[in-house]
Amino acid sequence: MLDFSYTDDQASIAAALDGFVASALLSGYMARDRDGAFPEDAWRQMAGMGLFGLRIPREYDGQELDCVTAGIAIEAVARGDFNLCYGILNSAFVGDLMARNASEPLCREWLPRLAAGDARISVCLTEPHCGSDAASIRTRAERDGDDFILNGEKASVTLVMAADAGIVFARTDPDAGSRGVSAFLVPFDTPGVTRHPYADMGSKCILRGSLFLDNVRVPAANLVGTLNGAFGSAMQTFEYTRALIGLMCVGAAMQTLEETIAYTRERTAFGQPVSRNQGVSFPVAEAWSRLEMARWHCLRTLWLRDQNRPHNAEAAVCKGMVPEICVDVIRDCLVLHGHYGYTQDLPIEQRLRDVCGQLIADGTPQIQKIIIARHLYGRENV
Ligand SMILES: Cc1cc2nc3c(=O)[nH]c(=O)nc-3n(C[C@H](O)[C@H](O)[C@H](O)COP(=O)(O)OP(=O)(O)OC[C@H]3O[C@@H](n4cnc5c(N)ncnc54)[C@H](O)[C@@H]3O)c2cc1C
């Protein structure tokens, strides 16, 4: 049986979010970019709506909803403010990774606070010398009695300047490649931790930056998962967040497209609405077609995950192609707004800057094509 309809719960969450996004988020999107500070008030409002607990188990005060519902939520929020989606994305990644891999006491300590919006936990994998080739990380964690001592540098960490802790991926076996990587929950107030912010093109209020670890001592109880087993569990979690990222980009692009339809219906040139030219209406029709296809592909990928079915290649399509489609659509919409599109009076240039970040984060289009090619040819042939 094929059924593409939302459940009653999904439909009511989507309706509640549409109202919240239109009334509370959209109007502040550009101001939050100009301000550049962490959006504390909007974050609190989202936490109050339960948006950070969507994928956190009920025993840790989350809602434990399905992946499709998380996708519906992130798409809705992206229509109002692309950057606030990082709250949903981050808590979904960390919540999923910790609930599946961390000890009960560690989950009990952190997940209720993450769900309530009282704690933020960054994901710290990338290093200055490696991102795509993440198995080459050099940050070291060495056993010392009941503790581990961490040394190294992490790059490009979303939310790092606003977070309370990070899940830090570190090498625990120098000779074992991807099978020698472990993950640790590192509170950022631990002695030896310092952070440095980046000056970014977009998503400025998300405070991406570097993390430095200088003889940072964490208890062995802060291991997230098994010793040397963190790489695989991280990759499994990326399979899920890649579909969320796709929907986040679709939300921003679809909102821009709807604004463009309204504008080109009203704007006149040569004595008629510009929409009466196929040079205007055809790119709009193509953009809508591409976004609809992208949207349903991402939702299906999340549905596959909900069914515990394989979705590795599907997730790579979500991350590899969908942000590119959305960047194309937003750029076309900018041009269809004429010179106004180029100003900072409209949110289009900001959406373009913000969505561009997701061309790179969580693996570039090239890396996603490698994953898809391995799926098609077999790993040994690619
Ligand atoms: C907005 C944003 C948020 C991010 N948030 C986080 C975060 O929270 N935590 C975190 O750990 N990281 C984060 N990252 C980092 C991100 O995951 C990496 O930037 C990404 O994986 C690419 O790694 P790199 O930048 O080192 O590029 P490189 O790996 O150096 O690649 C450079 C270029 O070469 C291409 N390339 C590399 N290898 C191949 C190959 N085999 N075949 C073809 N092309 C190839 C890449 O596609 C890319 O275009 C974020 C990045 C951005 C932009």
Side-chain angles (χ1 to χ4, degrees), residues 123 125-126 130-132 156-158 208 357 360-364 366 370:
V123 178
L125 177 62
T126 303
C130 75
S132 306
S156 191
V157 180
T158 295
R208 198 171 64 107
I360 303 160
D362 257 44
T364 60
Q366 290 95 319
I370 293 173

Side-chain angles (χ1 to χ4, degrees), residues 13 34 54 68 79 92 123 130 160-161 174 209 219 227 255 266 277:
I13 287 172
R34 278 181 206 132
L54 293 172
V68 169
R79 284 175 161 266
V123 178
C130 75
V160 76
M161 303 307 293
L227 190 68
Q255 175 68 27
E266 294 299 320
N277 301 289

Side-chain angles (χ1 to χ4, degrees), residues 74 89 92-93 125 131-132 134 231 234-249 294 297-299 301-302 305 311-323 358 360-365 367-372:
I74 207 165
L89 186 65
F93 186 99
L125 177 62
S132 306
F231 197 77
M235 293 305 132
Q236 275 176 9
T237 313
F238 281 129
E239 282 182 8
Y240 153 57
T241 50
R242 282 174 181 155
L244 291 183
I245 287 171
L247 285 165
M248 173 173 160
C249 296
H297 176 81
C298 295
L299 287 170
T301 303
L302 292 171
R305 189 169 182 99
H311 55 284
N312 179 260
E314 288 80 0
V317 175
C318 299
K319 180 68 232 326
M321 287 193 78
V322 177
Q358 287 303 332
I360 303 160
D362 257 44
T364 60
I367 297 309
Q368 308 309 322
K369 281 172 200 155
I370 293 173
I371 294 170
I372 297 164

Side-chain angles (χ1 to χ4, degrees), residues 22 36 51 63 65 80 92 107-108 111 177 222 261 289 313-314 316 339 361 365:
L51 287 167
Q63 279 90 269
L65 294 174
C107 289
R108 171 101 21 238
L111 292 186
N222 282 23
I261 293 167
S289 311
E314 288 80 0
H339 76 93

